[in-house]
Structures are given as structure tokens and as C-alpha cells.
Amino acid sequence: MARLDIHVLGSPILRQETELVTHITPELRRLADDMLDTMDAAKGVGLAAPQVGRIERLTVVGVDDQRFALFNPEIIRREGKIRWEEGCLSIPEVFAEVDRSAEVTVRALDIDGKVIEVTGTELLAVCLQHEIDHLHGKLFLDRLSLLKRRAAMRTWEEEKLQYPKLLRVLPVEDLPPEV
Ligand code: NI
């Protein structure tokens, strides 16, 4: 397994829509393993393919003792509301409370191409929603109110100066208006 470079806010690939995976090749299995390894090394609970510069619809999640590689994940059921403080490996040191569904069920293909369903609450639910957002070019910052997002971006403007070693630290992009 290898550790991959993580793209940080400003890298255009974080804003790209991913492509459905039609065939889980050995190379994609290796990618999933490398992403799990990278997630662990970065002490994260999830990592999506665009964060390592890839456009496949693939994310890995590791919450408590549950670890998954999910290809083409889709939320098929949501219930309730929860507010959770989130961060992102692509936006180091920036944290904010985000409103999410309290419980979700996700359908995906596992590493063997088998259809699986994962149901999560609390951190796992939040993580699944956060990672699936990544697969559609969306970041947790987009889900904040304008004021909170501005505060988060101010923090990032300072923090990003400490991350020149990470891949592609580019000027901060314009975020879309209020969502
Ligand atoms: Ni993230």
C-alpha cells in the first residue's frame, strides 16, 4: 500500500463531478487500498477519490471498526436531522458545524463488485454524506451559511500558508453563493 498526495482546497479536481465505475479493475482495488492507507496516515475517517486526484466515483470510510471502500455510492434513504462539527483532509484545520441527515442508508459496490448497503448514524452517517458530496464536487463549506463560510475561509486563508508541502496549494477559489 502506498500513501497518496491529498489535494487541498483550490485544486480544481475537488470541484469535478466523478465518473461511475463500470468495472472494478485490480488497479482500482489497489487505489482503494492506497486510499485507506492514506486516510489512516492522515487520521481521517473518510477520503474520496477526487481528494487524491482521481475522478472515479470511489470513496473509503473508516469509522470505529467499520471500514469500507464504496464504489458508486448512493444515498437511498435518509432520516432525521443532525448537526455535527466537520472537517476535511482537503481543508486542514478548518472546522464548522454542518446540518446533515441523522441516519442514512447507502447502496454501493464493494471491492469485489458486490452490491452492499451500509446504514449509519452519528459520525458514520455524517461521514457517508460528506464523502458522497465530494464525489459530486461538493465540500462541507458549501453547506454553511454565508457568515459561517466566510469565517471558515478566513481561517483557511491563514492555515493554508502552513501547507505548502501538500499537492497543489493554489489560490482559494470562489465558493458559490449561499446554499
Ligand atoms: Ni472531506
Side-chain angles (χ1 to χ4, degrees), residues 46-48 51 87-91 130-131 134 139-140:
L47 186 66
Q51 294 181 274
C88 180
L89 293 177
S90 292
I91 319 169
H130 178 118
E131 299 313 323
H134 270 300
L139 303 172
F140 80 93

Side-chain angles (χ1 to χ4, degrees), residues 41-168:
K43 300 197 186 332
V45 291
L47 186 66
Q51 294 181 274
V52 294
R54 300 284 298 241
I55 54 154
E56 289 87 355
R57 199 161 299 166
L58 161 65
T59 185
V60 295
V61 168
V63 173
D64 301 327
D65 53 352
Q66 306 195 75
R67 291 161 68 80
F68 316 97
L70 303 171
F71 291 88
N72 305 337
E74 240 186 306
I75 295 171
I76 57 168
R77 192 183 64 88
R78 309 175 169 269
E79 219 175 284
K81 295 255 171 284
I82 196 170
R83 180 168 287 180
W84 202 274
E85 185 171 73
E86 294 186 29
C88 180
L89 293 177
S90 292
I91 319 169
E93 305 301 328
V94 176
F95 301 92
E97 287 189 332
V98 184
D99 291 317
R100 299 281 191 183
S101 300
E103 181 174 334
V104 294
T105 299
V106 169
R107 184 177 292 156
L109 299 177
D110 71 6
I111 205 147
D112 300 312
K114 204 172 76 210
V115 178
I116 54 165
E117 285 184 9
V118 178
T119 295
T121 59
E122 301 196 319
L123 179 58
L124 180 56
V126 168
C127 183
L128 288 165
Q129 291 168 85
H130 178 118
E131 299 313 323
I132 290 172
D133 270 356
H134 270 300
L135 299 178
H136 302 289
K138 201 155 184 157
L139 303 172
F140 80 93
L141 297 177
D142 306 341
R143 296 194 177 275
L144 303 179
S145 69
L146 190 57
L147 271 175
K148 278 188 177 175
R149 190 186 322 141
R150 282 199 180 135
M153 292 307 289
R154 273 196 299 275
T155 307
W156 172 245
E157 288 293 336
E158 290 164 21
E159 291 298 335
K160 72 174 184 186
L161 303 174
Q162 297 173 34
Y163 291 90
K165 63 186 184 296
L166 287 180
L167 193 64
R168 294 190 196 173

